[in-house]
Every structure is written in structure tokens, then in C-alpha cells.
Amino acid sequence: MSSTLEKTRYKSEITGEIEKVTFRNDETGWTVARFREKAGISSVTTTGHFTNIRPGESYHLVGFWTKHPQYGKQFQVERSVPIRPTTKEGIKKYLASGVIKGVGLKTADKIVEKFGIDTLDILDKHPERIKQVDSIGKSKALTITKAWQEQKQDSEINMFLNQYGLTGKMAQRICNLYGSDAIRVISSDPYRLSMEISGVGFVLADQLAQRIGIPPDDPARFRAAVIYQLQQAEDRGHCFLSKEQLSNGLQETLRLPVQDVTEPLSEAINYLDRRSAILKERAEVLGQGETDVFFTRDLFLAETNVAHIITRQLSERVLIDQGRVERWLAKYVQAAGLALSEDQKDAVRLAARTRVFILTGGPGTGKTTASNAIIRLFKAMGKEVVLAAPTGRAAQRLSEVTGEEAKTIHRLLEWNPATRKFGCDEENPIEADVLVVDESSMIDIRLMDALLRAISASTHVVFIGDADQLPSVGPGNVLRDFIDSRQVPVKRLQEVFRQAATSSIIQTAHQINKGLLPNFEHGERRDERKDCWFLEIEDPLEMKKSIFNLLADTLPQKFGLDPLKDIQLLTPMNRGVLGTIQLNRELQAILNPDQTGKTKAVDENERVALRPGDKVIQCVNNYDLGIFNGDIGFVRQAGISGGKIQVAFGSRLILFDQEELQDLHLAYAITIHKSQGSEFPAVIIPVSMQHYIMLLRNLFYTALTRAKKLAIFVGTRKALAYAIRNERTLFRQTNLRVRLMKELSGEYWVDREILE
């Protein structure tokens, strides 16, 4: 297990017999077992994925010798090839291991005494002869025959998959989906795996196809490669690609010249388009003008549906007594002792008279105050108000600032891990008159589609967020597209309030967002009473040394900040001297040293063993455990039976098995992308030309706005200046803005005064 094990550089192979299965997850195939090598004196622990495994079975295992910090020497299995026993004793033990339901040691002994070393061959070819064994009647013979055929089928599939180098984990997923059809599916069209099996991408499916003997010009290869290009584009935030972009991608992926791609690409597009696997329309592409572009089916439908529902919500006038709203506003301001600006009052008025409304603005502009007023107005009108946010941390913060319960969008929509579907949809909508959604810039097109499908036509929706921050991790740029369409009512708060204006964090954030280089004070003239500093250091190693000193010494001593709970190191990248991987490895040793005195070695993925007290982050959504990408917690216990680890996420305690731990990383340092939706008392932000490709304005704007009390840049002004000039990541290929303009413009009543 990569998060808790040390791998050697070279693969090893061992052959022997399973003695005992210590732990097994039947759904994933993850197994911990005791294994005795052939002619070995003592047994060893093996860990890995097996499609089936029972005591008494023999295997040839391929993998790595590892050293677990608590359990010692282990063999981590990458591939397992079952071996049939060839001796009478081995066959007896094998049959009695549970491989055949209803056959125990006594029955196995009788069968082997009757047929000897030919037993397994007879079960394969002449199973009816089992009735010749004493005490086995017709009914039991049928049961034994059926069970044997089932396990034989599993064994044959396992052998087939291992023959082509698929790991046990992949083999388990393939068997779970295709069952007895696995061999037929893979032999006829291995590219199906890339579209139907999680974790099997095009590259792996293409390698498998080559081993099986699928010709490189097979049409299925080009069709799968087209889908792969669209998936890769989605990982970069795009919703579509043009034909020219698809062609360039195929040339690189398949390593073919343009003349060998042109015709097969057209045929693949036509084939996929006819079957609605991809959908085509005209759209503007940077540098190409208006051209044909191609979506995967689900992204096309998501964009179309979002535009349709927004149109539906805005298609009817909201009847409201504006005079009553003004009287309520006056009373609310007086009772709450607030001084709402005219922009904030306008936000409340617009929210009341529109079915969809966007409240946006930078830090210190009063979004929270305006949001609270909007919520109080709707509640005063007797409406059922529901609050939501994309992440658990954002939902918790929304609850804290409003005093009302807020849920994650997944929880609100009643995500079901078993069916992997939302319980709330068109047929079962959310019971809400008003839906308020915070941190809306984090919502990708798929989640927005699911959310809007679950509201009724009469529901008011209020989106709150800073559109200038990083867009969603998933595809699309939904909040920005809503605003840029100029069809959805928007109020942008721009006035920085007096109290916020004294914060150099907020001042600096607004300067960066406007493309201005902040005028930080130099060296000894730095006023440490201010909440935003710049430590100018040229050498990356010296930068790292300074960062470690800030974390472990300066900030805890001068400001009483807890280096684990109060301070977050935010860096642009994972790799390099100032990347999360190396920083986390060294910070673990500084902030949470090994109390046992044992050396914790680094595995092939450059990750170290987790131990109690470690700060960790979940790096993918795990719907089964109910934790999501970006959730930060602390390890409570490590080395629990089966290699499990217990982690506290706030008040929740989650138990991770060894497979689930693959998605859990150290979080002393995290990427800026992972910090979206979070706030920390203090942040430290390295700024180095080493991170050249990630020096982006909205990246550092987002990083800075994560800080509540203190933000410190460590690095060079040259790197920060480059980032501030670079707006490159603001562009994503989506067509939602155009859809909204086409659907809404001139086709429904709208008070133009409510549009910004």
C-alpha cells in the first residue's frame, strides 16, 4: 500500500500456497493473507487484489518486497497467477478450502481417494463421475458440479487477465462488471474497458489491445482515442474540442502523422455521432473562429439542461410588493444595527424579485452581510430557505456566518453511494422555496446540472461566490458563464468596507485581481503588525528553510498560532523542491516526528508512512465514506488490524482500509487548487520561477483569499509579477454562455434594470 509501505526498486516473483486470509474486501478484492513460499520454512504476509482467494490455493505472485513500519516484511502483489495443486494432499486441501460449497475435509478426502491425482481433470471434463464417490448422491453431485464450474470460470478469467499483465485490482473490477463475459468482451473489444471500467484509461486499454493482437488501424482504436481526447480535455476544465484539436491530440496519443489520422478520425466521429456517444454543434474556438465542436454526451446534456432550467426560472415575472421590501429593509437595518451600502440593499431587492440571482464580489466587499440580509428577508416572507455549498468546509462556514443549517450539495441531493445516483431530481425535488448556494465558483457543470434538476419551477435560487477565483476542478466555468452571458441577474459588490480596508490581505487581493503588483515593504521596514507580508528570497532552498522556520518557530512564538491547525502552506505544484511531495515529507519530520525512533522510508510514489497526529487531505471524492476531494483531517490511530487508519475530519471519525488510503495524502503543504472553499487563520505561499507553468493570477488571488488573519508570500517579486500578468487559466472551452444568450435573449420577459 503506497501510503504505508516502502517498495524496493525491482519486482520479485514468489510461488507458494495461501495459508490464511487475514482480511478481504469482497467488493474491491483487496486482500491481506499469509503465504508460504514453496519449500519455505516460515510464511510471509501478502497484500494486494485477488479476484478470488482461499486457503490451500497455490499462486505464482509478481510484486514488490516491502517493509511495513508496524507489521514488518511483506510482499505487495501486483499480479497473481493461480496454480493448480498436483499432489493428492494438495488437491485434498484445495477442495476442502471452500472452493466448492458443501465440500469439507471428509468429502474432499473421499473424492481424492477415488480419483487420485486425476481428480481435478475429472471435475473439469467428466463431472458426472462424482456420483461414483460413496455418500455423494445425485443432488450433492449437481451442487458440486455447479460450484466447480463457477470457480473454474473465475480461474480461467483470472488466468486470461494475468496473461495480459492486468493487475489484480483491474481484474477484480473487470470481473465485477462483465462476469462470465469478461474474456469475450476483452478479446473482441478491449477498448470498452477504457469507457466502462474506472481506472482503465485509453493508454492501458491500447496496450492490452496490442498484446491481444488488435491491429493499430482498427476503427475501435480511433473511436476510443476520440473519447479519450475529450476525457483529457475535461480534466483541463474544457467541455468540448474542435476537430482540429481532436486531430492534434490523436497524432500525439497514437504517434501517427496527420495524414494517417485524418480519414480514421472522420470515420470515428461519424460513428460516435450516429450513436450519440458524442454530440456536435457549432461554437467559437480561440484561434479557429466558429467551427464544429464535439462534446461527450453527458456534458452536452448537462450544459443544455442548465441553460434550459435557468431559462425556465427566469421566464416568469416574480410578483412582489417592492414597498414592503423597502419597509422591511429599513426595519432590518435598524434592528440589526447595520449600515448596509446601497449596493448591498440593491442585492437584497434583486434577490427578492428574481428567480435566479448571483451575488459576487471580492474579499471585504460585504457578501456575507448581504447574504444574511437576503436570507432574513425570505424567511420574513414565510419562505422555506435551504442553504448549501460544494464542500463540507464551505457548508460549515456558511452555517457559522448565517446561524442556519447548511448542507453540502451532495448531502442536500441525497447522494446514494450504492446506486451512485442522487435521490433528489425532477421526480423528487428539494423542498425549498429558496435555495442559497455559497462558493458557487467551485460548482462544475455536472454538479450544477444535478442541482438545478432538483429544484421546482417556483424556487428562487441565489448563487454566492467570487467569480475571479479559480474555476471548478471539474469541467466548465459555470458561475463565470452565468455572469458573462449578461442574461442572469447579477450584483457585483465592489466597495471595500472601512474595517476590511484596513486589512493588507484584502488590499493586496484586490490589487492582484486588478493586475497590479502590490507595493510590499522591504526587509527591516516590514511592519509585522500588518497581516500580509512578502519575504523576498531568491534561492529555492533558502525559501524552503525560511518557510520551515516560519511554520515551526516564528509564527507559533510571535502570534501563538498552532502550526498544524492554524497555519496552512499553499504551493502551486506537487513536484520540485517547493512542491507538496517534498515539503510534506520534511514537514512531517519537523512537525510530527516519529516517537518510536524508527526510520520511515519513502515508497515509489514518494509518500511516507502515516502516523498518529499527521495532517492529511482526501484527494478524490469517496462517496462510500462520505468524504470529498479537499477535506482535511488528522490521523487518530494507525496500524489498526488489516493496516487500517482512523482519521478525524472535524467531529467525524473515518476508518480507511489500505486501498482507500491511496487517496489520502499528507497535508502539511497542499496545492492552492486543493484549498478552494477553505479558510485558514494563516497561510504561507511560496512564489518561485520554479513553478513557471503555474504562475497564474487567479491561482495566487485564490491562495491569498484563503487567509483570514495572516498571509505571507515567500519568494521573488519577479515570479509574483509574472503571475499577476498571466490570466491564461481564465479561458475554458464551454458553450454555456452562448446557450444562455440564445435561450434567454428576446424570448422571455426580463426587467433589464435587474441585469448588471
Side-chain angles (χ1 to χ4, degrees):
M1 185 67 213
S2 61
S3 63
T4 56
L5 299 172
E6 173 198 5
K7 294 182 181 177
T8 62
R9 292 183 62 188
Y10 304 105
K11 288 184 181 179
S12 299
E13 300 183 23
I14 59 175
T15 300
E17 181 182 292
I18 300 296
E19 285 189 329
K20 179 183 178 182
V21 176
T22 306
F23 170 82
R24 179 168 173 81
N25 183 323
D26 289 329
E27 183 177 343
T28 65
W30 175 259
T31 304
V32 180
R34 295 295 292 173
F35 185 84
R36 185 179 295 276
E37 290 187 73
K38 191 175 182 180
I41 298 174
S42 60
S43 56
V44 298
T45 297
T46 61
T47 62
H49 295 83
F50 292 80
T51 51
N52 267 310
I53 186 170
R54 299 176 185 85
E57 293 182 331
S58 295
Y59 283 89
H60 180 73
L61 304 179
V62 179
F64 301 89
W65 283 108
T66 66
K67 187 176 182 181
H68 191 284
Q70 182 172 349
Y71 300 113
K73 188 177 181 181
Q74 296 183 353
F75 190 80
Q76 185 170 330
V77 180
E78 188 175 82
R79 289 193 293 123
S80 59
V81 182
I83 300 172
R84 280 186 160 186
T86 56
T87 66
K88 289 176 66 174
E89 283 303 312
I91 294 170
K92 283 181 187 179
K93 192 172 182 180
Y94 179 56
L95 295 180
S97 67
V99 68
I100 303 177
K101 187 176 180 181
V103 173
L105 190 57
K106 289 183 179 180
T107 304
D109 187 64
K110 289 179 180 179
I111 294 172
V112 175
E113 284 303 312
K114 177 70 175 177
F115 301 117
I117 61 172
D118 295 327
T119 297
L120 302 185
D121 190 56
I122 286 170
L123 284 168
D124 284 342
K125 299 175 182 177
H126 307 288
E128 70 281 355
R129 291 183 60 188
I130 291 297
K131 290 183 290 184
Q132 298 174 10
V133 178
D134 291 342
S135 77
I136 295 182
K138 183 178 180 181
S139 177
K140 189 169 185 177
L142 287 173
T143 300
I144 292 173
T145 299
K146 182 179 179 182
W148 179 259
Q149 291 299 323
E150 288 176 353
Q151 73 79 34
K152 181 186 174 186
Q153 176 180 279
D154 289 344
S155 181
E156 288 174 347
I157 292 172
N158 194 24
M159 290 285 287
F160 176 83
L161 297 176
N162 273 288
Q163 175 186 354
Y164 294 109
L166 289 170
T167 64
K169 185 176 183 179
M170 293 302 175
Q172 181 69 40
R173 290 177 177 172
I174 290 167
C175 288
N176 287 347
L177 182 63
Y178 301 125
S180 60
D181 280 343
I183 294 176
R184 179 189 61 79
V185 168
I186 295 171
S187 299
S188 61
D189 185 5
Y191 293 104
R192 280 183 60 181
L193 301 182
S194 65
M195 291 176 270
E196 298 174 357
I197 302 288
S198 173
V200 181
F202 171 81
V203 174
L204 180 58
D206 197 40
Q207 292 171 354
L208 179 60
Q210 291 175 35
R211 291 175 189 152
I212 290 174
I214 304 293
D217 60 351
D218 190 287
R221 186 182 190 221
F222 285 89
R223 295 196 290 265
V226 168
I227 298 297
Y228 174 65
Q229 297 308 314
L230 292 173
Q231 291 168 341
Q232 291 291 99
E234 180 180 325
D235 290 342
R236 300 190 299 272
H238 300 311
C239 291
F240 63 75
L241 290 177
S242 68
K243 189 172 182 179
E244 180 180 326
Q245 291 168 335
L246 283 171
S247 177
N248 293 337
L250 259 63
Q251 291 172 55
E252 182 178 346
T253 299
L254 304 181
R255 298 179 182 177
L256 294 173
V258 63
Q259 61 268 23
D260 291 346
V261 166
T262 305
E263 186 175 342
L265 172 59
S266 296
E267 291 175 355
I269 287 174
N270 290 336
Y271 178 93
L272 294 168
D273 190 28
R274 288 196 304 271
R275 286 157 179 77
S276 297
I278 64 173
L279 296 173
K280 177 177 71 173
E281 69 177 356
R282 301 286 289 180
E284 289 285 335
V285 176
L286 191 65
Q288 298 180 39
E290 187 176 277
T291 185
D292 287 341
V293 299
F294 303 90
F295 294 74
T296 57
R297 178 180 174 82
D298 67 321
L299 286 186
F300 180 89
L301 295 179
E303 269 203 3
T304 303
N305 191 61
V306 167
H308 173 72
I309 294 176
I310 294 295
T311 301
R312 180 193 72 186
Q313 299 303 105
L314 291 173
S315 61
E316 296 181 12
R317 182 194 295 263
V318 177
L319 299 177
I320 188 168
D321 185 336
Q322 199 63 44
R324 291 185 65 184
V325 171
E326 294 300 327
R327 290 191 293 274
W328 180 89
L329 261 174
K331 290 180 180 178
Y332 175 75
V333 168
Q334 184 177 13
L338 295 173
L340 291 180
S341 69
E342 281 305 309
D343 276 348
Q344 289 173 318
K345 290 178 182 178
D346 283 344
V348 177
R349 295 171 184 129
L350 294 177
R353 71 179 199 251
T354 59
R355 294 235 189 268
V356 182
F357 170 66
I358 297 171
L359 176 63
T360 189
T365 56
K367 291 195 302 295
T368 297
T369 301
S371 302
N372 269 318
I374 290 168
I375 292 167
R376 301 292 169 248
L377 171 61
F378 278 123
K379 291 179 78 70
M381 294 166 66
K383 295 185 180 295
E384 179 71 22
V385 181
V386 171
L387 277 57
T391 68
R393 289 161 296 151
Q396 181 180 354
R397 194 169 67 253
L398 182 58
S399 292
E400 291 169 354
V401 299
T402 62
E404 305 286 341
E405 181 188 14
K407 298 179 180 179
T408 64
I409 294 174
H410 280 82
R411 184 180 165 207
L412 177 67
L413 298 182
E414 300 176 6
W415 173 261
N416 186 329
T419 62
R420 298 198 171 273
K421 293 181 180 179
F422 291 110
C424 293
D425 54 20
E426 300 95 330
E427 304 300 321
N428 181 34
I430 301 165
E431 294 183 4
D433 299 314
V434 181
L435 174 62
V436 178
V437 188
D438 199 11
E439 294 288 356
S440 297
S441 63
M442 296 179 66
I443 304 176
D444 64 35
I445 189 64
R446 283 197 183 91
L447 188 57
M448 183 63 76
D449 177 32
L451 181 64
L452 293 181
R453 284 178 185 274
I455 64 171
S456 65
S458 61
T459 301
H460 290 254
V461 186
V462 177
F463 293 111
I464 305 166
D466 186 346
D468 295 323
Q469 289 187 19
L470 288 170
S472 58
V473 174
N477 201 354
V478 181
L479 185 64
R480 171 57 62 187
D481 284 344
F482 281 173
I483 294 171
D484 288 350
S485 73
R486 300 188 63 81
Q487 303 299 312
V488 181
V490 177
K491 187 63 187 179
R492 182 185 292 273
L493 302 179
Q494 300 186 62
E495 177 187 350
V496 178
F497 283 83
R498 184 177 303 171
Q499 184 176 357
T502 63
S503 166
S504 51
I505 290 176
I506 291 175
Q507 293 173 0
T508 303
H510 283 278
Q511 288 171 333
I512 289 174
N513 198 35
K514 292 175 182 177
L516 304 174
L517 181 65
N519 184 25
F520 294 104
E521 294 171 326
H522 288 272
E524 296 299 322
R525 298 201 307 273
R526 184 180 72 244
D527 185 353
E528 293 190 352
R529 292 172 297 178
K530 291 191 174 183
D531 58 10
C532 187
W533 312 344
F534 191 104
L535 303 185
E536 189 156 10
I537 302 173
E538 186 75 30
D539 181 64
L541 291 176
E542 288 299 315
M543 289 170 59
K544 183 170 68 172
K545 183 178 177 181
S546 178
I547 288 168
F548 289 175
N549 185 57
L550 285 167
L551 268 166
D553 185 20
T554 305
L555 298 186
Q557 286 190 20
K558 285 193 174 183
F559 299 96
L561 295 170
D562 186 311
L564 295 182
K565 296 179 181 178
D566 297 333
I567 308 170
Q568 186 59 60
L569 176 54
L570 303 178
T571 187
M573 298 178 71
N574 289 311
R575 298 285 174 180
V577 173
L578 297 169
T580 61
I581 295 172
Q582 189 164 333
L583 290 172
N584 274 319
R585 188 192 313 163
E586 296 181 44
L587 284 171
Q588 185 197 42
I590 296 170
L591 300 177
N592 188 31
D594 174 29
Q595 301 299 325
T596 67
K598 297 178 181 178
T599 301
K600 298 295 191 276
V602 179
D603 70 17
E604 67 172 7
N605 295 319
E606 301 184 56
R607 297 170 63 192
V608 295
L610 298 181
R611 49 185 178 248
D614 274 335
K615 186 177 185 179
V616 292
I617 184 169
Q618 177 71 12
C619 290
V620 299
N621 291 338
N622 188 320
Y623 299 110
D624 296 329
L625 294 179
I627 55 171
F628 301 95
N629 190 355
D631 286 349
I632 292 177
F634 292 88
V635 176
R636 286 284 183 86
Q637 296 183 63
I640 303 172
S641 177
K644 298 178 183 178
I645 284 181
Q646 186 188 66
V647 181
F649 291 92
S651 60
R652 296 182 62 208
L653 292 177
I654 305 292
L655 195 63
F656 290 78
D657 64 30
Q658 288 201 28
E659 182 182 8
E660 292 161 339
L661 279 170
Q662 294 181 72
D663 303 322
L664 201 64
H665 294 240
L666 289 172
Y668 301 100
I670 64 174
T671 63
I672 297 169
H673 280 89
K674 294 292 184 187
S675 73
Q676 285 179 267
S678 298
E679 282 188 344
F680 309 97
V683 300
I684 300 173
I685 310 163
V687 192
S688 169
M689 291 306 293
Q690 280 199 344
H691 298 148
Y692 177 78
I693 62 172
M694 292 300 293
L695 294 179
L696 311 164
R697 181 191 298 178
N698 61 349
L699 192 77
F700 285 91
Y701 173 71
T702 299
L704 182 55
T705 56
R706 301 307 89 205
K708 291 196 292 185
K709 297 179 180 178
L710 179 64
I712 305 174
F713 291 98
V714 181
T716 67
R717 292 172 184 272
K718 176 183 177 182
L720 183 60
Y722 182 88
I724 290 171
R725 291 194 301 268
N726 189 358
E727 297 184 82
R728 176 169 48 85
T729 58
L730 292 177
F731 175 74
R732 286 186 169 190
Q733 290 187 171
T734 80
N735 214 29
L736 179 61
R737 177 184 64 85
V738 175
R739 289 187 207 286
L740 287 165
M741 293 171 67
K742 287 182 177 179
E743 288 213 31
L744 287 166
S745 183
E747 296 183 12
Y748 78 114
W749 176 90
V750 60
D751 181 352
R752 302 305 299 183
E753 291 180 359
I754 70 175
L755 301 179
E756 187 184 51

